């Protein structure tokens, strides 16, 4: 339904519906999503219905991260600013800034995780240690990855967000130290050729070592990317499994309710059949009484007719006798 100004009526806006869904506990997500998608379809908003139906049910860790974002807006804003600062420091390879920000990162991630656990517990959904670790991983991803930060800032985390690489002490250690080129060694003139050969061999060795380091860095980058993809697929499978489990529970509940209704209807049918048998028996008895009564009535009618004829004859005979006496 659209208002005169062309905007969606309250409760119909897709973004508002998605915000509502991702604020719900995972156990309530699927039923409300289907309700909202059906509502959009009945109002002939097929594209909105498809987008709503495509929303993935968040894991418990995703829901807790969304709950933290919505319930602690000031802390969330500062956390996002810290992430931008960390990414900028890492991009500029500032070891001093990285070391300071990494210590701040560890402290704030720990504090934010505790807040998420407390909020989830207050909402009636306490977090296990494994789920809390997933929340911490998601928060580290928010600091390291701008895409993860955007998802969390929108409050629509579905599963575990994984950072592309570890920030903090590991990043500081990975930052290359500035090295001054070695001063040329002073050698006697007679040893110039030998020194050049030694220098060439050293350069070749350094080049080989650099190629080896480059290969190792590339291999590590590929491994991190593969791990990130695998963890993303794992998160999707977990979310799909939880969604399927919720759908199964919902279907089981519907089947149980339908079974109860069927049992009640079968009981009513049994009672109705018993009453029908009693009615049939009463109908047979009533028919028999009606037949007997009809026969008795016919016999009584015949007897009454015969008695009437006899009475008429007696009266006629009496009148005839009286007439004879009068003539004499």
């Amino acid at each position: 339904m659209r208002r005169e100004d062309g905007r969606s009526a309250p409760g119909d806006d897709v973004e508002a519906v998605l915000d509502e869904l991702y604020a719900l506990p995972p156990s309530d997500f699927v039923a409300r999503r289907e309700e909202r998608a059906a509502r959009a379809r009945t109002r002939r908003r097929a594209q909105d219905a498809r987008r709503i139906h495509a929303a993935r049910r968040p894991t418990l860790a995703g829901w807790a991260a969304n709950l933290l974002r919505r319930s602690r807006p000031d802390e969330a804003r500062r956390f996002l600013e810290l992430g931008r600062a960390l990414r900028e420091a890492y991009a500029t390879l500032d070891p001093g800034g990285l070391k300071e920000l990494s210590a701040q990162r560890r402290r704030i991630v720990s504090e934010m995780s505790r807040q998420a656990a407390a909020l989830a517990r207050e909402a009636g959904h306490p977090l296990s240690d494994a789920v809390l670790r997933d929340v911490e991983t998601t928060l580290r991803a928010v600091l390291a990855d701008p895409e993860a930060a955007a998802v969390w800032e929108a409050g629509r985390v579905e599963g575990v967000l994984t950072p592309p690489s570890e920030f903090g002490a590991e990043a500081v250690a990975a930052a290359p130290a500035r090295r001054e080129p070695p001063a040329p060694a002073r050698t006697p003139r007679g040893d110039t050729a030998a020194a050049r050969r030694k220098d060439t061999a050293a350069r070749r060795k350094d080049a080989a070592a650099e190629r080896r380091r480059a290969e190792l860095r590339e291999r590590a980058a590929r491994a991190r990317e593969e791990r990130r993809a695998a963890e993303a697929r794992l998160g999707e499978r977990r979310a799909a499994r939880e969604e399927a489990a919720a759908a199964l529970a919902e279907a089981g509940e519907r089947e149980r309710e339908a079974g109860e209704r069927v049992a009640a209807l079968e009981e009513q049918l049994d009672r109705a059949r018993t009453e029908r048998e009693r009615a049939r028996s009463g109908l047979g008895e009533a028919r028999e009484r009606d037949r007997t009564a009809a026969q008795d009535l016919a016999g009584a009618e015949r007897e009454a007719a015969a008695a009437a004829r006899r009475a008429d004859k007696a009266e006629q005979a009496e009148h005839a006798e009286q007439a004879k006496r009068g003539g004499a």
Side-chain angles (χ1 to χ4, degrees):
M1 180 180 294
R2 299 278 178 179
R3 304 189 307 191
E4 293 181 357
D5 58 5
R7 293 183 297 172
S8 298
D12 286 343
D13 181 70
V14 178
E15 299 300 326
V17 170
L18 293 176
D19 287 341
E20 175 195 7
L21 290 176
Y22 283 99
L24 293 172
S27 57
D28 299 337
F29 185 92
V30 175
R32 185 67 61 85
R33 181 192 65 189
E34 298 308 307
E35 175 188 336
R36 293 293 186 242
R39 179 177 178 179
R41 283 192 294 270
T42 58
R43 297 187 177 185
R44 299 185 179 181
R45 294 186 291 112
Q47 185 175 358
D48 292 349
R50 285 193 295 270
R51 186 177 175 194
I52 293 170
H53 185 72
R56 300 294 300 274
R57 177 178 180 267
T59 63
L60 190 58
W63 167 76
N66 294 332
L67 179 64
L68 176 65
R69 169 68 183 93
R70 289 184 170 87
S71 302
R72 298 288 188 271
D74 293 338
E75 289 88 339
R77 186 179 63 256
R78 289 193 292 270
F79 192 74
L80 291 167
E81 292 173 355
L82 173 62
R84 284 189 287 270
L86 267 173
R87 293 191 296 272
E88 182 179 352
Y90 183 75
T92 57
L93 297 176
D94 179 4
L98 274 174
K99 186 176 297 184
E100 180 181 353
L101 289 172
S102 296
Q104 188 178 358
R105 180 210 70 164
R106 289 190 295 272
R107 185 171 59 255
I108 292 182
V109 165
S110 178
E111 175 59 28
M112 295 285 279
S113 299
R114 284 195 296 269
Q115 290 187 28
L119 290 168
R121 187 168 53 252
E122 292 172 2
H125 299 277
L127 306 182
S128 65
D129 292 341
V131 173
L132 188 57
R133 285 194 295 271
D134 287 344
V135 173
E136 292 176 350
T137 300
T138 294
L139 292 176
R140 288 197 297 271
V142 171
L143 293 178
D145 186 356
E147 293 182 2
V151 173
W152 186 67
E153 187 174 13
R156 297 178 188 174
V157 177
E158 296 176 354
V160 182
L161 301 178
T162 55
S165 61
E166 289 293 333
F167 272 52
E170 299 87 346
V172 175
R178 297 177 64 88
R179 294 185 299 177
E180 296 294 333
R186 294 183 179 181
T187 57
R189 292 181 179 178
D191 296 337
T192 301
R196 282 199 299 269
R197 288 193 297 271
K198 184 177 181 181
D199 185 59
T200 300
R203 284 198 299 272
R204 289 175 179 173
K205 185 177 180 180
D206 289 344
E210 182 59 32
R211 285 194 300 271
R212 177 61 178 167
R213 285 193 294 270
E215 291 174 359
L216 291 175
R217 285 195 297 270
E218 183 178 357
R219 189 181 304 171
R222 285 197 303 268
R224 285 194 297 270
E225 184 61 29
E226 290 173 358
R227 182 187 68 179
R228 184 181 182 185
E231 289 175 346
R233 288 193 297 271
L234 177 61
E236 291 176 358
R237 299 298 182 272
R238 283 176 176 170
R241 176 66 180 83
E242 292 180 1
E243 184 172 344
L248 175 61
E250 185 178 352
E253 180 64 18
R254 289 198 302 270
E255 192 276 337
R256 184 188 65 79
E257 293 175 354
E260 291 178 352
R261 290 195 297 272
V262 169
L265 291 172
E266 288 178 345
E267 184 178 355
Q268 292 178 9
L269 179 60
D270 289 341
R271 288 198 300 267
R273 285 173 175 168
T274 301
E275 293 174 0
R276 185 180 65 177
E277 292 301 322
R278 291 175 182 170
R280 283 178 175 175
S281 177
L283 177 61
E285 294 175 357
R287 284 175 176 170
E288 181 62 26
R289 289 196 301 271
D290 180 69
R291 186 182 63 80
T292 302
Q295 291 176 351
D296 292 343
L297 175 61
E301 287 175 345
R302 288 193 298 272
E303 291 177 0
R309 287 193 298 272
R310 288 193 297 272
D312 289 341
K313 289 180 180 180
E315 288 179 356
Q316 291 175 2
E318 183 180 5
H319 290 321
E321 183 63 24
Q322 288 177 355
K324 287 179 182 181
R325 289 178 184 177

